[in-house]
Amino acid sequence: MTVVTPLRYGLNEADGTIGPHLLACDPPGGARVVEVFGDAATADHIAVVVPGNGHHLGNYFTSTEAHSPRSRGQLLLRTMQEIAPESRSAVVVWLGYHSPPEWYNAITNVPAYAGAQDLANLTHYLPRAAHLTLIGHSYGSTVAGLALAGARAEDYVALGSAGMGAVRRSELGTGTRLWAAYGETDRIRLVPRVRVGRLGLGRGPLELGATRFGTGDIPGHCGYYAEGSESLLNIARIALGRYDQVTPAGITTAPHNPRPARPTHDMEAAA
């Protein structure tokens, strides 16, 4: 059995500027990387983005796809800043686990369990004064769900979740608001939600009491961060604590950003 060394978090600010910085990173050839956009040390609101399968250090900095973790993190930060320019916001992209290489490898919960503690540790490393939101997409929602029992987070957002890792609400700890989104054309809803030993990802967030919010007309499984979408707006509103502005499923509002959304893939190689 491979022993995974726990992540040690610390800002790498060698260039002396405020911008994206590494909080943790494996040596070359490793898989894990954690990056922050914005000034987390002084932020009022911090969103932690947890990607799904197919992402690793080897493609983290080179991918130019709109659905890459870095692109999603940067877009979420811009959206939060546009909605609340008076607030100080930051986004952490947490790829701090060995994600399954393909969607069909994601039937096992072993990588999620292995990474959950490191994610929980991150929430205690970040400033306690900040409003903290965990956002897990696809398999990342399982990792984040398993981390909740030991994490400090005001809000948790599950996007296209195949399971939270848990079978009972009590396994997720207390004190965290649960939110969930499922696009109308996301086929992840067809995946059985069970957990038997190392197989299965547990129950879905709606079965565990999460509030479902609207996504608008997003494409497939990978459109939750589509630029200008109702989905992205609601994610940003939750991360900013603007709960009264979050629209429920089936209700949409006028686009915040009328620019056309970047194209996304229905089933990305990296969920």
Short mmCIF file of all heavy atoms in Angstrom, two decimals, residues 40-46 120-132 150-154:
data_model
loop_
_atom_site.label_atom_id
_atom_site.label_comp_id
_atom_site.label_asym_id
_atom_site.label_seq_id
_atom_site.Cartn_x
_atom_site.Cartn_y
_atom_site.Cartn_z
N ALA A 40 -5.31 35.53 0.31
CA ALA A 40 -6.06 34.75 1.29
C ALA A 40 -5.85 35.26 2.71
O ALA A 40 -6.73 35.12 3.56
CB ALA A 40 -5.67 33.28 1.20
N ALA A 41 -4.70 35.86 2.96
CA ALA A 41 -4.38 36.30 4.33
C ALA A 41 -5.32 37.39 4.82
O ALA A 41 -5.57 37.52 6.02
CB ALA A 41 -2.93 36.78 4.39
N THR A 42 -5.85 38.21 3.90
CA THR A 42 -6.72 39.32 4.30
C THR A 42 -8.14 39.18 3.78
O THR A 42 -8.95 40.10 3.92
CB THR A 42 -6.13 40.65 3.79
OG1 THR A 42 -6.08 40.63 2.35
CG2 THR A 42 -4.72 40.88 4.32
N ALA A 43 -8.47 38.04 3.18
CA ALA A 43 -9.76 37.88 2.52
C ALA A 43 -10.91 37.80 3.52
O ALA A 43 -10.79 37.21 4.60
CB ALA A 43 -9.76 36.64 1.64
N ASP A 44 -12.04 38.39 3.13
CA ASP A 44 -13.28 38.23 3.89
C ASP A 44 -13.95 36.92 3.54
O ASP A 44 -14.64 36.31 4.38
CB ASP A 44 -14.25 39.38 3.57
CG ASP A 44 -13.66 40.74 3.86
OD1 ASP A 44 -13.15 40.95 4.98
OD2 ASP A 44 -13.69 41.61 2.96
N HIS A 45 -13.79 36.49 2.28
CA HIS A 45 -14.44 35.28 1.78
C HIS A 45 -13.41 34.46 0.99
O HIS A 45 -12.75 34.99 0.11
CB HIS A 45 -15.61 35.62 0.88
CG HIS A 45 -16.63 36.51 1.52
ND1 HIS A 45 -17.61 36.04 2.36
CD2 HIS A 45 -16.81 37.86 1.46
CE1 HIS A 45 -18.36 37.04 2.78
NE2 HIS A 45 -17.90 38.15 2.25
N ILE A 46 -13.31 33.18 1.32
CA ILE A 46 -12.40 32.28 0.62
C ILE A 46 -13.19 31.08 0.11
O ILE A 46 -13.90 30.41 0.88
CB ILE A 46 -11.26 31.79 1.53
CG1 ILE A 46 -10.46 32.97 2.08
CG2 ILE A 46 -10.34 30.84 0.76
CD1 ILE A 46 -9.38 32.56 3.07
N ALA A 120 -9.23 18.87 5.00
CA ALA A 120 -9.69 19.38 6.29
C ALA A 120 -8.60 20.21 6.96
O ALA A 120 -8.88 21.29 7.53
CB ALA A 120 -10.10 18.22 7.21
N ASN A 121 -7.35 19.78 6.86
CA ASN A 121 -6.25 20.53 7.44
C ASN A 121 -6.13 21.92 6.81
O ASN A 121 -5.81 22.90 7.50
CB ASN A 121 -4.94 19.77 7.27
CG ASN A 121 -4.88 18.51 8.12
OD1 ASN A 121 -5.65 18.33 9.05
ND2 ASN A 121 -3.95 17.63 7.79
N LEU A 122 -6.35 22.00 5.51
CA LEU A 122 -6.27 23.29 4.83
C LEU A 122 -7.26 24.29 5.42
O LEU A 122 -6.93 25.46 5.61
CB LEU A 122 -6.55 23.13 3.34
CG LEU A 122 -6.71 24.45 2.56
CD1 LEU A 122 -5.38 25.16 2.44
CD2 LEU A 122 -7.32 24.21 1.19
N THR A 123 -8.47 23.83 5.73
CA THR A 123 -9.47 24.76 6.24
C THR A 123 -9.06 25.37 7.58
O THR A 123 -9.47 26.48 7.92
CB THR A 123 -10.84 24.07 6.39
OG1 THR A 123 -10.79 23.09 7.44
CG2 THR A 123 -11.27 23.42 5.09
N HIS A 124 -8.23 24.65 8.34
CA HIS A 124 -7.74 25.19 9.61
C HIS A 124 -6.48 26.03 9.43
O HIS A 124 -6.13 26.81 10.31
CB HIS A 124 -7.50 24.04 10.60
CG HIS A 124 -8.74 23.29 10.97
ND1 HIS A 124 -9.69 23.80 11.82
CD2 HIS A 124 -9.22 22.08 10.55
CE1 HIS A 124 -10.69 22.93 11.94
NE2 HIS A 124 -10.43 21.88 11.19
N TYR A 125 -5.81 25.85 8.31
CA TYR A 125 -4.64 26.68 7.99
C TYR A 125 -5.08 28.07 7.54
O TYR A 125 -4.42 29.07 7.84
CB TYR A 125 -3.82 26.00 6.90
CG TYR A 125 -2.70 26.86 6.35
CD1 TYR A 125 -1.49 26.98 7.03
CD2 TYR A 125 -2.87 27.57 5.16
CE1 TYR A 125 -0.47 27.78 6.53
CE2 TYR A 125 -1.86 28.38 4.66
CZ TYR A 125 -0.66 28.48 5.36
OH TYR A 125 0.34 29.28 4.86
N LEU A 126 -6.17 28.15 6.80
CA LEU A 126 -6.65 29.43 6.28
C LEU A 126 -7.17 30.30 7.43
O LEU A 126 -7.60 29.77 8.47
CB LEU A 126 -7.75 29.20 5.24
CG LEU A 126 -7.30 28.45 3.98
CD1 LEU A 126 -8.50 28.08 3.11
CD2 LEU A 126 -6.31 29.30 3.18
N PRO A 127 -7.15 31.63 7.26
CA PRO A 127 -7.56 32.54 8.35
C PRO A 127 -8.96 32.24 8.88
O PRO A 127 -9.91 32.11 8.11
CB PRO A 127 -7.51 33.91 7.67
CG PRO A 127 -6.53 33.77 6.55
CD PRO A 127 -6.70 32.37 6.05
N ARG A 128 -9.09 32.15 10.17
CA ARG A 128 -10.37 31.81 10.79
C ARG A 128 -11.39 32.93 10.64
O ARG A 128 -12.61 32.69 10.74
CB ARG A 128 -10.17 31.49 12.28
CG ARG A 128 -9.34 30.24 12.53
CD ARG A 128 -9.51 29.76 13.96
NE ARG A 128 -10.87 29.33 14.22
CZ ARG A 128 -11.34 28.13 13.93
NH1 ARG A 128 -10.56 27.23 13.32
NH2 ARG A 128 -12.57 27.81 14.23
N ALA A 129 -10.93 34.15 10.42
CA ALA A 129 -11.86 35.27 10.30
C ALA A 129 -12.60 35.26 8.97
O ALA A 129 -13.63 35.93 8.82
CB ALA A 129 -11.10 36.60 10.45
N ALA A 130 -12.12 34.50 8.00
CA ALA A 130 -12.73 34.49 6.67
C ALA A 130 -13.91 33.53 6.62
O ALA A 130 -13.90 32.46 7.25
CB ALA A 130 -11.69 34.08 5.62
N HIS A 131 -14.92 33.91 5.84
CA HIS A 131 -16.04 33.02 5.53
C HIS A 131 -15.53 32.01 4.51
O HIS A 131 -15.07 32.38 3.43
CB HIS A 131 -17.20 33.83 4.96
CG HIS A 131 -18.26 33.01 4.30
ND1 HIS A 131 -18.59 33.15 2.97
CD2 HIS A 131 -19.04 32.02 4.78
CE1 HIS A 131 -19.54 32.31 2.66
NE2 HIS A 131 -19.84 31.60 3.74
N LEU A 132 -15.62 30.71 4.84
CA LEU A 132 -14.98 29.68 4.03
C LEU A 132 -16.02 28.78 3.38
O LEU A 132 -16.94 28.29 4.04
CB LEU A 132 -14.05 28.84 4.91
CG LEU A 132 -13.15 27.82 4.22
CD1 LEU A 132 -12.21 28.50 3.25
CD2 LEU A 132 -12.35 27.05 5.26
N GLY A 150 -14.13 16.91 9.74
CA GLY A 150 -12.99 17.51 10.42
C GLY A 150 -12.64 18.89 9.93
O GLY A 150 -11.62 19.45 10.34
N ALA A 151 -13.45 19.45 9.07
CA ALA A 151 -13.14 20.74 8.45
C ALA A 151 -13.82 21.90 9.15
O ALA A 151 -14.79 21.73 9.90
CB ALA A 151 -13.55 20.72 6.98
N ARG A 152 -13.34 23.09 8.89
CA ARG A 152 -13.99 24.33 9.29
C ARG A 152 -14.50 24.99 8.02
O ARG A 152 -13.74 25.52 7.22
CB ARG A 152 -13.01 25.27 9.99
CG ARG A 152 -13.64 26.60 10.41
CD ARG A 152 -12.60 27.63 10.77
NE ARG A 152 -11.90 28.16 9.61
CZ ARG A 152 -12.36 29.13 8.82
NH1 ARG A 152 -13.56 29.65 9.04
NH2 ARG A 152 -11.64 29.57 7.81
N ALA A 153 -15.81 24.96 7.82
CA ALA A 153 -16.39 25.57 6.62
C ALA A 153 -17.81 26.00 6.93
O ALA A 153 -18.58 25.24 7.52
CB ALA A 153 -16.37 24.59 5.45
N GLU A 154 -18.14 27.21 6.51
CA GLU A 154 -19.51 27.70 6.69
C GLU A 154 -20.44 27.10 5.65
O GLU A 154 -21.62 26.86 5.92
CB GLU A 154 -19.55 29.22 6.61
CG GLU A 154 -19.08 29.95 7.86
CD GLU A 154 -17.58 29.80 8.10
OE1 GLU A 154 -16.81 29.83 7.11
OE2 GLU A 154 -17.17 29.65 9.27
#
